[in-house]
Structures are given as C-alpha cells and as structure tokens.
Amino acid sequence: MAVKRQDAWTPDDDMILAEVTLRHIREGGTQLSAFEEVAEKLGRTPAACGFRWNSTVRKKYEAAIQIAKSQRQKRLQERNRNQSHRVKSGEDATGDSLYTIDNIIRFLRQYKNEVAELKRQQKLLEKEIKEKEALLSKLEAENNEMKAHLEHVQSDYRLVNDDYRTLVQIMERARKMALLTEEDEALSKAKFRMEENGNLERLDK
C-alpha cells in the first residue's frame, strides 16, 4: 500500500506522472490505472496524483496528450483491420464478435472508473474550496478585529496625548509661578535690607 506523502511535488515527480499517464492514454488504459501506478512509484495516493495531473501537469502536455490519443486511435484502427482480415480469411466470426463485446465491456468499465475518479477529484476540490472559504472568513474576522483594536489604540493615544499636553501646560504655569515667587521673595529681601540699611544710617546720625 502506498504511503501518503505530504511533501511538495518535484519536477521529477511531475515527469513520472506525465510519462505514465501518457503511456496509459497511448495504450488505451484509463487515467485511474495510470494514477494508481504513479501512486505506487511515488508513495502518494491515486487521488493526489489525479489532482496534480488535472490541476498542473496536464496543461503542460496538451500536445503530447493529443499525440498519445492519435496513437491510440491508430492502434485501435489497426486492431480492427486485423480483426476484419481474420474474418475475411475464414476465422471464427463468433469469436471476433465476442472480442468486440469484450472491448465494449472493457471500455464501459474504464469509463465508469474514470467517472468515479472525476467524482472523487470533484469532492476533493469542493473540500478544498470549503477550507479556503473558511480560512478567508477567519482572516476577514481577524482583520476586522485588528481594525477595531487599532481604532481603540488610536483613541487611547489621542487621549494620552491630550493629557500629556495638558500636563505640560500645567507644569509650565507652575514653573512660571515659581519663578515669580522667587523674584518676589528676592525683591522683598532686597527691600528689607534697604530699609535696614536706611535705619542704620539714621541711627549713626
């Protein structure tokens, strides 16, 4: 059983996925069988291989896919010509008819598997979309919360700034009042000394 890996796809991984898938297309196999083979080689799940193919790798190999489909068509035409030749050569037509029915049954089974794989991939994509939407909602909520917090901080800053300016004005007034008080005291002392000096002069006389 393949081990489920969570690491990123490397260019070599993509190359292996492309080579195996193109080979299955060319030989008439299903993409599901290709993804299962790649999953065994790379230690990933078939769903992961299918998702990688359809989301990224397939776009790079559109020309190669068309060539592989063309080769598959040529193989099928060649096989049909061989069958017709055997019938004309007198071989058992019943066997050929059964072989054609087997081809139809095989094709229907392959088609059923491919549809099932596409449904699985669709579910994976829908799950991923839901996860992205949930993440987006979470980020939007966090963004709104951060905006509200920023507005609150800005409001607090304005209040603190106003308080600081008021405090500076009060301190400036207090400093001026202190200077005036000191000047008044100095004047009073000077006046007192002058008065004392005046009294002493009168006593000397």
Side-chain angles (χ1 to χ4, degrees), residues 155-166:
S155 177
D156 289 346
Y157 171 77
R158 286 192 293 269
L159 291 175
V160 170
N161 191 43
D162 292 342
D163 291 343
Y164 173 75
R165 290 180 179 177
T166 302

Side-chain angles (χ1 to χ4, degrees), residues 41-60:
K41 289 185 177 182
L42 301 182
R44 299 180 184 273
T45 63
C49 295
F51 180 78
R52 180 67 178 179
W53 170 258
N54 287 303
S55 63
T56 304
V57 180
R58 182 187 183 96
K59 302 172 185 177
K60 302 177 182 178

Side-chain angles (χ1 to χ4, degrees), residues 181-196:
T181 302
E182 290 177 358
E183 290 177 357
D184 290 343
E185 290 178 354
L187 289 172
S188 297
K189 290 179 180 179
K191 183 178 181 181
F192 179 74
R193 283 196 297 270
M194 289 176 64
E195 289 177 352
E196 284 185 339

Side-chain angles (χ1 to χ4, degrees), residues 2-193:
V3 179
K4 187 175 182 180
R5 289 169 50 183
Q6 298 293 337
D7 55 325
W9 284 77
T10 66
D12 290 339
D13 293 341
D14 288 343
M15 181 64 69
I16 292 173
L17 175 60
E19 289 177 351
V20 173
T21 305
L22 289 171
R23 172 165 52 81
H24 278 259
I25 293 174
R26 185 169 54 251
E27 295 176 356
T30 65
Q31 290 188 8
L32 177 60
S33 60
F35 300 152
E36 290 175 347
E37 181 179 339
V38 176
E40 289 294 331
K41 289 185 177 182
L42 301 182
R44 299 180 184 273
T45 63
C49 295
F51 180 78
R52 180 67 178 179
W53 170 258
N54 287 303
S55 63
T56 304
V57 180
R58 182 187 183 96
K59 302 172 185 177
K60 302 177 182 178
Y61 291 90
E62 290 294 344
I65 291 172
Q66 295 303 320
I67 293 173
K69 289 181 177 179
S70 177
Q71 291 174 341
R72 180 182 63 188
Q73 186 66 24
K74 289 180 180 179
R75 280 169 167 265
L76 189 59
Q77 290 174 354
E78 183 65 25
R79 185 180 300 168
N80 290 336
R81 281 196 297 269
N82 291 336
Q83 291 175 1
S84 299
H85 179 71
R86 285 198 299 270
V87 171
K88 291 178 181 179
S89 300
E91 293 184 3
D92 186 6
T94 304
D96 287 333
S97 298
L98 290 175
Y99 185 74
T100 302
I101 292 174
D102 288 341
N103 280 343
I104 294 173
I105 293 173
R106 188 180 299 109
F107 170 78
L108 292 175
R109 287 176 178 172
Q110 291 173 354
Y111 179 77
K112 179 181 178 181
N113 291 335
E114 289 182 356
V115 169
E117 178 61 23
L118 289 173
K119 287 182 178 179
R120 281 194 291 269
Q121 293 178 19
Q122 181 182 2
K123 289 181 179 179
L124 288 174
L125 291 172
E126 290 174 349
K127 181 181 178 182
E128 184 178 0
I129 290 172
K130 288 181 180 178
E131 291 174 351
K132 296 294 184 183
E133 289 177 345
L135 178 60
L136 180 60
S137 299
K138 180 181 177 182
L139 291 175
E140 288 178 347
E142 291 178 354
N143 185 43
N144 292 332
E145 183 178 351
M146 291 297 293
K147 285 182 178 179
H149 180 67
L150 178 60
E151 291 177 356
H152 181 69
V153 170
Q154 289 176 340
S155 177
D156 289 346
Y157 171 77
R158 286 192 293 269
L159 291 175
V160 170
N161 191 43
D162 292 342
D163 291 343
Y164 173 75
R165 290 180 179 177
T166 302
L167 179 61
V168 170
Q169 292 174 356
I170 292 172
M171 291 177 65
E172 184 64 21
R173 286 197 295 268
R175 186 182 66 81
K176 290 180 179 180
M177 292 177 65
L179 289 174
L180 292 173
T181 302
E182 290 177 358
E183 290 177 357
D184 290 343
E185 290 178 354
L187 289 172
S188 297
K189 290 179 180 179
K191 183 178 181 181
F192 179 74
R193 283 196 297 270

